Amino acid sequence: MRYIIIGAGAVGGAIGGRLAGAGCEVVLVARGAHRAALAEHGLRLKVPDGEWTYLLPVVQEPAELGELRPDDVLLLAVKTQDSEAALAAWGPVPVAGGGTAAERLPVVCAQNGVESQRLALRHFRRVYGVCVWLPATFVEPGVVAAEGAPLTGILHLGRYPHGTDETARLIAADLEKSRFEAPVVPDVTRWQYAKLLGNLANAIEAVSGPLGSEESLAFYGRVRAEGAAVLDAAGVAYASAEEEKEARGDKIQLVEIEGAPRGGGSSWQSLNRGTGTIEADYLNGEIALLGRLHGVPTPLNDLLQRLANGFARELRAAGSLPFDELVRLVDEAVAFVQES
């Protein structure tokens, strides 16, 4: 199979580079300065065991590839806020032998949250979800770091909305030979919703910096508890913390990589790069949405969604809101809900 990595940033670049390193055929999709650097110098992947450069085909638009192949796999790794545009662009592309990508090819959503695969199912017949446990950093145009060892990541994979098939097993086999663990599961959303609860911390880190103090960890505990209460009210199944801990074990340890400092996770990186957008609508915003649908107040996640979006829109520096100020805003939000 040939893998077309739509969004060759931190996660997409790490997966694409590791697949290429294992001998798989890979095409990268990128834009702007990142695309130019990839085309001129190749993908530089910094990992704990060294630095590798992969000279791979790079495109910005589907037309640059022309007709797709029946054995192509579209791996969607853009941020969720960019999914709709990417799906609309790639779905109508013709496939050799007849039909379009949306009709014939698998699209694999390797992203945070749960919304992209729902968006994909509006366009594509064959949709696969991935629960992404993969620490990675966009270092600079053309350069991506993946800090996990001994495994680069753990990628639970399955059909969406449920089930498994031979395609999932073939993709998993390629990932398994590429420094990933890739369990094929019939209930991938169950793992994704558990990961979503962890990703509720992304907005905290993005606006107020890394979670390290007892106070910040306790605050995240409140945010997570609010999210879990919403999932319970909505009847959404999610893997327990014990299951997640058992699945991860000590398989992924963060290793500091020279020349590639890890400042924070995906949302922090969006602010740090000044992209103007952030994924909070599909993380904290997913909890806010379900809370409104099922009558559960979500003042903490509402506030974090609003703050993160404001930081992105105003190009504010990542981590620049003092934690004490965040706590004050939270207290005000909770009091407002209680008085309403």
Side-chain angles (χ1 to χ4, degrees), residues 47-339:
V47 288
D49 56 333
E51 180 179 320
W52 310 91
T53 299
Y54 301 103
L55 299 174
L56 304 170
V58 185
V59 301
Q60 179 167 317
E61 304 293 341
E64 298 172 56
L65 272 182
E67 201 173 47
L68 296 177
R69 297 177 357 192
D71 65 343
D72 281 337
V73 174
L74 306 181
L75 193 146
L76 188 66
V78 299
K79 296 288 175 57
T80 302
Q81 61 267 28
D82 298 319
S83 290
E84 185 60 49
L87 292 163
W90 286 88
V93 179
V95 178
T100 65
E103 293 169 319
R104 295 186 57 191
L105 299 184
V107 60
V108 180
C109 299
Q111 301 155 289
N112 286 334
V114 296
E115 182 64 18
S116 271
Q117 52 214 17
R118 293 185 70 250
L119 296 173
L121 206 59
R122 296 177 186 272
H123 296 266
F124 284 78
R125 291 178 180 174
R126 301 170 62 196
V127 177
Y128 298 77
V130 179
C131 179
V132 181
W133 287 338
L134 168 53
T137 302
F138 182 96
V139 180
E140 61 185 58
V143 184
V144 170
E147 300 93 348
L151 290 177
T152 298
I154 301 176
L155 306 172
H156 285 74
L157 170 69
R159 283 293 294 261
Y160 179 79
H162 49 73
T164 63
D165 61 15
E166 183 61 18
T167 297
R169 287 185 282 273
L170 290 171
I171 294 169
D174 281 342
L175 292 169
E176 292 272 1
K177 68 182 184 182
S178 306
R179 299 291 188 93
F180 296 100
E181 185 172 290
V184 178
V185 295
D187 55 351
V188 67
T189 56
R190 187 168 165 273
W191 292 93
Q192 291 173 317
Y193 274 108
K195 173 74 165 14
L196 172 67
L197 291 176
N199 284 143
L200 298 180
N202 286 25
I204 306 173
E205 179 185 63
V207 302
S208 289
L211 279 68
S213 67
E214 289 185 12
E215 293 82 2
S216 63
L217 291 172
F219 174 59
Y220 162 62
R222 292 172 60 195
V223 173
R224 181 187 176 98
E226 184 179 271
V230 167
L231 296 185
D232 291 342
V236 172
Y238 54 95
S240 67
E242 291 73 21
E243 287 178 281
E244 287 191 296
K245 183 177 180 181
E246 183 178 355
R248 294 186 192 187
D250 57 359
K251 300 170 187 175
I252 304 177
Q253 300 293 326
L254 285 179
V255 177
E256 185 175 346
I257 296 176
E258 185 177 355
R262 181 174 174 81
S266 56
S267 296
W268 186 95
Q269 291 181 48
S270 291
L271 293 183
N272 193 51
R273 291 172 58 195
T275 63
T277 65
I278 199 166
E279 60 194 335
D281 285 347
Y282 305 100
L283 301 178
N284 309 89
E286 178 70 20
I287 296 302
L289 169 63
L290 289 174
R292 290 163 193 157
L293 287 173
H294 297 278
V296 180
T298 57
L300 304 183
N301 282 282
D302 290 354
L303 174 66
L304 289 170
Q305 178 188 6
R306 189 164 60 251
L307 285 173
N309 281 327
F311 266 60
R313 185 173 56 253
E314 298 163 13
L315 301 181
R316 295 177 63 180
S320 59
L321 181 70
F323 184 71
D324 289 347
E325 176 66 10
L326 175 60
V327 171
R328 184 188 68 78
L329 293 172
V330 166
D331 290 342
E332 289 180 357
V334 171
F336 178 79
V337 169
Q338 291 173 343
E339 293 170 2

